[in-house]
Amino acid sequence: MSASADPVPVNGKPAVVPALQKWQGRTGFFELCRHSRIVFAGAQRDRLRDQLATLPDEIEQVTGRKSALSPRHPQSGDIVLSTDPTLPEAVDRARFKEEGYTFTVTGENVRIAAPTAKGVYYGTRTLLQILLLDDGRDSVPVGTAVDWPNYKVRGFTLDVGRRFFTADFIRDYIRLMGWFKLNEFQIHLNDNGFKGDRPWSEAQAGFRLKTDNPALSGLASKDGAYDRRDWDSFEGTAAANGVTLVPEFDAPAHSLAFIRSPRRLFA
């Protein structure tokens, strides 16, 4: 009597950050291939295309494979993205309605659906993380995930007032936040430090926004500040990565840069 074949193991929950809320694993894998496309489906396909315009480049960066955008009907091997406002009816979670998504993988397709475009964006972050951790960077385990954030605000604050960070660094950091589904970046634009026995008036101080307004000339720090073009790029990068940009002006406690201004704003 021949021995029975060992059962095929069910796929465990993929290791992504933050962890998936729910996962129902099945057997087998979806394989990204040369003809795989990104298909935008549903009524809001144009908005999705705008939100995820960089996805083909991101997939290529992770996998080395090009995935073309396609308006056609899905076929085997495609990644299918869609919005579906009825999805909250199946999940009684407030955060799911705004930023949650479903992630369904079969042997033929990966399908990411969400009530909002931002939810679909977060689903693509899950896809990219799974592909990055796969040995061949081309396989996704078959199964179904339902995911949503636990907290409305998932943020980070960067103090550029005391220490200047380049515009390239700010844009890269916003992209990193999107990768991990963080949604609020507070940028601390003015501050001053204290060092040893030096009086407060001699402490380091910084204000990091440039302006063409002559009434505010001399206010921006000489060791680094962002102009209008820089700030517009921050807003554009934030919008593309599901991040809200929050500028912070810290006054009156940390207003030394304003007091030192040649225009004497507080005189």
Side-chain angles (χ1 to χ4, degrees):
M1 186 174 185
S2 60
S4 60
D6 293 334
V8 178
V10 171
N11 295 320
K13 180 189 291 189
V16 299
V17 178
L20 297 173
Q21 297 278 11
K22 294 184 178 181
W23 169 257
Q24 179 62 58
R26 294 180 176 83
T27 60
F29 291 85
F30 166 84
E31 300 287 342
L32 199 66
C33 56
R34 285 190 304 170
H35 66 264
S36 291
R37 307 171 305 170
I38 300 167
V39 179
F40 296 100
Q44 299 184 29
R45 60 173 62 90
D46 291 339
R47 183 179 178 186
L48 277 179
R49 188 178 291 107
D50 292 340
Q51 176 76 56
L52 294 162
T54 62
L55 183 59
D57 292 334
E58 292 171 325
I59 289 178
E60 185 177 4
Q61 289 170 6
V62 169
T63 69
R65 299 170 181 265
K66 293 182 180 294
S67 296
L69 299 178
S70 176
R72 301 177 183 176
H73 294 294
Q75 63 187 25
S76 179
D78 287 347
I79 299 164
V80 185
L81 311 177
S82 64
T83 55
D84 182 355
T86 68
L87 283 174
E89 297 178 3
V91 180
D92 186 19
R93 300 282 180 177
R95 299 308 320 146
F96 183 90
K97 296 179 181 180
E98 296 182 23
E99 298 177 294
Y101 62 93
T102 61
F103 186 85
T104 305
V105 185
T106 66
E108 295 187 352
N109 297 105
V110 173
R111 293 180 178 269
I112 300 171
T116 65
K118 182 180 280 191
V120 176
Y121 169 80
Y122 287 143
T124 63
R125 303 308 95 179
T126 292
L127 172 62
L128 290 169
Q129 288 189 35
I130 291 172
L131 288 170
L132 182 63
L133 293 178
D134 177 64
D135 289 342
R137 299 196 177 186
D138 60 359
S139 297
V140 184
V142 170
T144 301
V146 181
D147 195 29
W148 63 89
N150 284 327
Y151 303 98
K152 182 175 183 178
V153 177
R154 306 175 302 282
F156 178 79
T157 299
L158 182 65
D159 182 355
V160 301
R162 288 189 176 94
R163 178 185 176 186
F164 180 69
F165 292 83
T166 67
D168 284 340
F169 179 92
I170 299 297
R171 288 187 289 267
D172 285 345
Y173 213 95
I174 293 171
R175 295 185 188 101
L176 181 67
M177 291 180 67
W179 178 266
F180 292 114
K181 306 182 180 110
L182 297 172
N183 67 353
E184 189 170 292
F185 180 41
Q186 183 168 325
I187 184 166
H188 188 73
L189 292 164
N190 70 283
D191 215 323
N192 45 261
F194 301 90
K195 187 174 182 180
D197 297 328
R198 288 165 51 187
W200 181 73
S201 60
E202 297 178 7
Q204 178 274 342
F207 179 69
R208 304 302 183 181
L209 290 181
K210 296 178 182 178
T211 179
D212 295 329
N213 188 336
L216 300 174
S217 63
L219 181 58
S221 299
K222 298 296 188 295
D223 63 331
Y226 311 114
D227 60 20
R228 180 76 258 180
R229 184 176 180 180
D230 291 329
W231 193 262
D232 287 345
S233 75
F234 298 163
E235 291 184 348
T237 304
N241 288 273
V243 175
T244 298
L245 189 63
V246 181
E248 180 191 357
F249 302 94
D250 192 351
H254 293 162
S255 55
L256 182 56
F258 304 144
I259 294 171
R260 281 184 183 165
S261 168
R263 308 301 297 188
R264 300 294 295 174
L265 298 181
F266 296 100

